[in-house]
Each structure stands twice: as structure tokens, then as C-alpha cells.
Amino acid sequence: MFATPSILRMFAHPAGSAAAGTTSTGKPPVLKVGKKPGSEIKVSNLNVSIGNNHILKNIDLEIPNNKITCIIGPSGCGKSTLLKTINRLIDDSEKVKVNGEIIIDGENIYGKRVEVTHIRRKMGLLSQRPIPLPMSIFDNITFGCKLHGVRNKKQLKQIVEENLRAAGLWDEVKDRLHAPASSLSIGQQQRLCLARGLAIKPQFILGDESTSALDPISSRHIENLFVKLKEKYGVVLVTHTLRQALRIADYVVFIYLGEVVESGPAKELFNAPKHELTKQYLSGVFS
Amino acid sequence: MKLKFVEERIFNLLMVLATLVVFGFFASIIWTIARTGFPSLTWEMVSQLPGGGFYLGKDGGILNAIAGSLMIVFASTLLGLAISIPIVFYINVYLKKASRLAYFARLSFDVLFGIPSIVYGAFAFTIMIFFGLKTSLLGGIIVITLLIIPIFVRSMDEVAKSVSKDLLDAAYSLGATKLESCGVVLRQIAPGIATATLLSVGRAIGDAAGVLFTAGFTDNIPTALNEPAATLPLSVFFQLSSPIPEVRERAYAAALLLTIIVLVLSVTGRLVTGRFSKNRIK
Ligand SMILES: Nc1ncnc2c1ncn2[C@@H]1O[C@H](COP(=O)(O)OP(=O)(O)O)[C@@H](O)[C@H]1O
Ligand SMILES: [Mg+2]
């Protein structure tokens, strides 16, 4: 399926690429509901450097849809950089060089004629600290949709309710939708940011240590949401708490000093790590 | 232990003293102006143009200067905002942190900030002579705009600089373009823009040297951009240099009026700023 030159798919809409998933004979694709063909993230031979600092080295990865993939590794090993490379937030860093391919929906997101906003819409990002936008709760959710052309008031209201429900925040804020987002607690703000990300109908949720700034209850809440959300989205989480990865990961990627040391299904990697470094990291020799 | 306690008390006292000195100056300025000017601050003074012989102590008022000042301040504040906001966004959103252009832009605005307004006035005057222009409302507006742009840019820049990169990233990751992300930053720095506007208005309305050669002076309210315009600070200046005591009292009345206008603008500005801060993310 990926054999199609990516240039042909450059402008392929998600719907268009779904069509591309069927064979030319018109045989219906054998797919689970909600799973779109080609919406895995395929990273090949990725190298990222900032200035003279070679941060990511020869990364090869396939991140599946409808699964939780946890990226683990000691701090400073390049986990955040990898995540930022996946949604091209890295573009704004100074002196950054990205080589290699990241293919999403059959399209190399570092291809020449790719629109960066189009790539970013496919991913909802949840950062370490909740960063609500300086506006009301309601406007936080609708901000992204409005950018992408949704104007209808009724539709916007519906989107707000739907996504606040999905993020488990609706009951807490339904009576004060027009209050400033900054009036929410940190845990609520993080769920608001999640709802805001979901409202742009992404295919992937990216989380960069998204629970590390939260209290244990909010943190567990967000974790449970991730588990629920994987039915509809691919979830990629950077975490440096191994226990969290143990609880929710389907796949695990272990990065050390910018290289993928080992990756695979969570059970295998945790129970029978192949690489010596992984063994040491998992047993807490370093962290 | 004991020594620390004494030290604490001494510095505490110094801080209180410093604050009191400033308050003292403020109060005595107000008192001086008000005591001399208040008796002359009549309705006639604010509602009438100077009559014949006004500068010799006869009847009339300073409506010409009030109107001229307000026109110049209003227009140059709008112009200043329209020019400064794009500059601030360009430096803070479009240019990267270590950009050399941003560095030089900031440096230039720092220098411009420190240039006295008489230099702006003289500069504009030379240009006006070159083009054969006479003193006019437009000349005053332009020179005051130039004067307040550095104030606008530097005070908004300080606020924009402190906006976290994460906020921009949040907007970008929702698929916003740089321009659309500027909208988010604009909401975040709205209180800063309001403060910058207050500072600029204060400077603009009180500046005499800038408008001296450029706006000129007249006893009428300008009805077109190419007519000269009177301003409050010049009105104060001219009346204060009069040998006639009654006219000098009117100078204080004009100064009092100027102070009241600035005060009213500042207080309303503060109130409005409070409302702008509502959605700001700390
Ligand atoms: N903008 C940058 N400029 C220079 N070096 C950077 C930049 N961002 C990250 N780095 C470096 O890249 C490495 C990986 O950082 P990061 O991806 O944040 O690690 P992690 O998220 O795993 O803790 C670190 O050594 C860090 O110092
Ligand atoms: Mg990190």
C-alpha cells in the first residue's frame, strides 16, 4: 500500500486515502470500524539535529492506529523532540535539520509541497503543562474548528458538548462555558486541552508527559481517557513514569541518547527485554 | 539575629520614605497647579475659543487647544497602534528568538525611545521645509506618532516577550497559521497593549516640543488636516510666559485641565485593563 509514490497522495484527503485502500477491483477492505487504512505513522531513517546537537539518530518506527504507544527513556534522550517532529512543531526551532521520512496517510509530512497546518490538524497535542488559550472554555474548544471553517453556531455548540463529554469535563463546566479557561483547576484545564484537540477531529493524540503536572486523581482520569480514546484514535504518549507505561501501553518504544534501542508490544518488551540497556532501564539501574 | 532585625527595619524605612517622596511630589504638583489654576478654570475657559485680547487678560477660553490636543492624541494613538502592533508581532512571532534583525529592531527602538521630542520636532520641521509644508494638524499627528511608536513597541514587546512559546505551540498544534496564532497572542497581551496605550497617550498629550514647529498654534479649531492646530502644552507655555498675572493664572488652569484629562484617561484605562485581563493565562 505504501508503494504508491507519496507525491501522488500529497493532496489526498483522509477520505481519499480510504478509497486508495481498496483494491482496484473494488473488493471492500477488511477493516475494523473506525480504522482508516494508512493512518499509521511510519517513521523511516529519521535524523534530527539542532545546531551541532544530533538529537535523533536513524529512527525507524511504525506507530499503529487504535493502540497506545508509549515512548519511554531517560530525560533528555529526545522523546519530546520525536513528538514535535511528528507534528512538525520542530519547524520553529532554530537551526533545526530534519532528514528522513515520516509518512502519515501515505504522505511524507516532510515532503516539499505539504501544508504544515494540514499535518498538524491530524494530531491533537497534549503538552506537559496544560496550556489553555486565553479565552473562554467554549472558545477554547471552538478555536480550532473555526480556523478550519466551521461557523454554524448550532454546530459549534454541538461540537463543544460532544468533545467536553469525550474528555469527561462536560458535567463540571456545562453551566459556565463562557467563564475564562484559566478559572479551571489544572486537572480540568488538561482535560479542556484534550477536548480542544479532539474537536479538530484528529487521527492521533500525542501526549508529552501530559499527566506529570497533575495530581494523582486527575492524572488517573486522563490516563483512563487515553484508554477509552484508543478505540477511535492512535495514541502516542511520551512518559517517564514506567508504571504508567505498564498500565496502559500496547506498544512501547525505548529511546536512549536519541536512538531507538528496542520497540515492540508492551508485554514482550516489559517481560522479556532483548537489549541489555532496556533491561537496565526497566530494572531502574538508571532513569 | 538582632543585626538582621535592624537591617530589615532600616531598609523597610527607606522604601517607605522613597514612596512617600514620590507621593509628596505628586501631591505638591497637583496642589500648586490646582491652587493657582482652579479659580480660573471656568466653564468659559473650556467651552470658548480665545476672544480678542485673550492673551492680554480679556475674555475667551482655550477650547482651541483642548480640541487640537485631543485630535492629535486620538489620531496619533490610533496610527501608533496600527504601526506598532505589527512590529511587535513580527519581532516576537515571526522572527526567531536569536534573530539578529529582532536584536537590531529592539536596539533601534531603545535609542528612539531616548531621543528627546524636540529632536523629533526639528527633524520633522526640516522635512516639512523641504516639501514646502506649513505647520499643520497633520504635521503634529505625524511627529507625535513617531514619538510614541517606540513607547508602544518597547512596552508591548516586553509583554509579548514573556508570552510562553508553549502558547504559540498550542495554537500551531491546532492547525493555526502564524497569523492566526498572532490572534491568540493578541488576546494574551491585551492588558499590556492597554497599558502601553495609556503610557503613550500620557506622553502624547503632554508633549510641547514635538508640536512646537510642526502643529504650530492657532486660535481656531482646525477643520482640515492642513490647518495649524493649537495644543494644551503650548497653550500652557505661551500663557505662562505672559507678564500679565491673570494670563499666568490661566496657564495653571490649562495645566490643571491637562492633568485632569490624563488622570481621567488613566483611571478609565485601568478599569478597562481589568476587563481585558479576564481571559489571560497566567
Ligand atoms: N531547541 C533546542 N536547542 C538545542 N538543543 C535542544 C533543543 N531542544 C532540545 N534539545 C536537546 O535535545 C535533547 C533531547 O531533548 P528532549 O527531546 O526534550 O528530551 P526528552 O523529552 O526525552 O527529555 C536534549 O539533550 C536537549 O538538550
Ligand atoms: Mg520531554
Side-chain angles (χ1 to χ4, degrees), chain A residues 63-126:
Chain A
I63 297 173
N65 204 348
N66 302 95
K67 294 273 189 276
I68 295 180
T69 304
C70 280
I71 301 173
I72 59 171
S75 86
C77 70
K79 306 180 296 293
S80 300
T81 306
L82 177 59
L83 219 55
K84 279 188 180 173
T85 312
I86 292 176
N87 76 350
R88 290 195 57 173
L89 269 184
I90 196 87
D91 289 20
D92 283 297
S93 306
E94 263 143 277
K95 297 179 193 153
V96 62
K97 272 204 300 282
V98 179
N99 285 309
E101 278 190 338
I102 297 181
I103 293 175
I104 299 172
D105 286 335
E107 166 185 44
N108 178 13
I109 66 166
Y110 283 93
K112 278 217 179 76
R113 294 171 62 190
V114 172
E115 247 183 75
V116 68
T117 51
H118 163 77
I119 299 301
R120 288 180 185 150
R121 276 179 69 179
K122 294 184 181 179
M123 282 161 266
L125 177 73
L126 208 52

Side-chain angles (χ1 to χ4, degrees), chain A residues 92-94 117 120 132 134 148 180, chain B residues 96 98 172 174-175 178 188 279:
Chain A
D92 283 297
S93 306
E94 263 143 277
T117 51
R120 288 180 185 150
H148 309 306
Chain B
K96 295 186 171 172
Y172 293 154
L174 291 168
K178 288 211 163 178
Q188 177 73 358
N279 279 318

